[in-house]
Amino acid sequence: MKPHRSTLRLIGEAVTVSYVADPSVGYGQFRLENDEDVPAMAAVESAWLEFDDQRKPLAGVTVFDRAQEKMVNPDRFEVGAKATLSLMVGFPPTTYEPHFGESSAVGLRVRVDGVVLQALSSLKFVRRIPYGH
């Protein structure tokens, strides 16, 4: 008998933060995959910024369905049967400049039909040099 494998997955996607000075982070990107034959109901349990060993809880989280180009209720949204939901999880911008070599990410925990899923959307900071300097 094969062990039961969850057919719901939350996958974090990388986000590039391009800046000249005072970099700020305001979102993470995720995919919520449902391989079930029936739709699933999901809710955001928590979100946070993660810098090396530190976690900063995020409040005021919004959820944007990138494919449908619309906001969804973070307390209750549907993932269709055999479907993938591409999400942008937004929050009030936080200014942060990572130390050299420091890893950083936006974390997300969702509950989907009683199953808790968690993933990290890694952040890549790219400093731009202003033109003409």
Side-chain angles (χ1 to χ4, degrees):
M1 190 166 154
K2 289 195 316 191
H4 176 69
R5 188 175 150 274
S6 175
T7 53
L8 299 165
R9 286 178 301 285
L10 181 65
I11 300 160
E13 299 179 335
V15 171
T16 299
V17 178
S18 181
Y19 68 100
V20 173
D22 301 323
S24 118
V25 179
Y27 70 95
Q29 291 187 162
F30 300 87
R31 284 190 332 267
L32 185 53
E33 299 177 346
N34 178 10
D35 289 341
E36 299 278 340
D37 292 325
V38 294
M41 292 308 296
V44 171
E45 282 202 341
S46 61
W48 63 92
L49 281 177
E50 193 166 296
F51 302 108
D52 275 344
D53 295 344
Q54 299 178 16
R55 273 190 180 187
K56 177 185 175 189
L58 295 170
V61 172
T62 60
V63 178
F64 182 78
D65 178 336
R66 291 168 34 205
Q68 297 290 321
E69 296 184 346
K70 67 177 186 177
M71 299 298 288
V72 297
N73 181 350
D75 297 326
R76 185 171 169 82
F77 55 97
E78 185 177 282
V79 188
K82 301 281 188 197
T84 297
L85 197 55
S86 292
L87 304 172
M88 185 177 292
V89 176
F91 47 89
T94 301
T95 300
Y96 183 80
E97 187 160 8
H99 302 295
F100 181 77
E102 182 179 51
S103 64
S104 52
V106 175
L108 180 66
R109 181 177 297 128
V110 295
R111 180 176 296 276
V112 187
D113 287 349
V115 176
V116 176
L117 304 172
Q118 182 173 304
L120 295 174
S121 171
S122 63
L123 301 171
K124 179 181 177 188
F125 290 85
V126 178
R127 186 172 194 157
R128 295 186 325 248
I129 305 302
Y131 182 72
H133 287 87

